[in-house]
């Protein structure tokens, strides 16, 4: 979700990775260049409020249900992208 409403993206691995990087940068108020997709997410200090908000963004943008703990269950944004690609592939076709 952007500041103005849900974002719709073509759910390819590349698009998901770019979108996640942009969302994390937005929540951290950092430029996307400052975010390393391979760094542990704990390194960025995302608190539970932002983690829950990011899960909501994921659900709105990718039309998949995720557990609120998903952000803590993966090592980094690369792993999160992979998990989201799997979830998108598993969702029922509309």
């Amino acid at each position: 979700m952007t500041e103005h409403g849900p974002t719709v993206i073509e759910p390819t691995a590349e698009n998901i990775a770019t979108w996640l990087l942009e969302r994390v940068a937005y929540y951290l108020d950092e430029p996307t260049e400052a975010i390393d997709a391979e760094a542990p997410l704990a390194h960025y200090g995302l608190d539970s409020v932002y983690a829950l908000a990011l899960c909501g963004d994921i659900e709105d943008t990718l039309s998949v249900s995720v557990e609120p703990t998903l952000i803590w269950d993966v090592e980094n944004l690369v792993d999160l992208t992979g998990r989201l690609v799997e979830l998108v592939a598993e969702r029922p076709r509309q």
Side-chain angles (χ1 to χ4, degrees):
M1 176 162 21
T2 65
E3 296 167 270
H4 301 96
T7 300
V8 177
I9 63 170
E10 180 69 29
T12 64
E14 182 179 341
N15 288 349
I16 292 170
T18 299
W19 176 81
L20 279 173
L21 190 69
E22 290 169 353
R23 293 313 300 156
V24 170
Y26 169 77
Y27 285 127
L28 296 173
D29 196 25
E30 295 284 345
T32 56
E33 299 81 28
I35 308 300
D36 178 358
E38 294 182 357
L41 287 172
H43 169 78
Y44 293 108
L46 280 178
D47 65 23
S48 59
V49 172
Y50 287 135
L52 285 173
L54 183 56
C55 286
D57 290 347
I58 290 167
E59 290 182 346
D60 290 344
T61 301
L62 300 176
S63 299
V64 296
S65 291
V66 296
E67 294 294 322
T69 58
L70 177 64
I71 305 305
W72 313 123
D73 292 341
V74 296
E75 178 67 23
N76 54 38
L77 289 176
V78 172
D79 291 345
L80 181 56
T81 297
R83 183 66 188 120
L84 294 176
V85 168
E86 291 171 3
L87 289 172
V88 166
E90 294 170 0
R91 74 181 180 201
R93 298 287 173 194
Q94 298 177 4

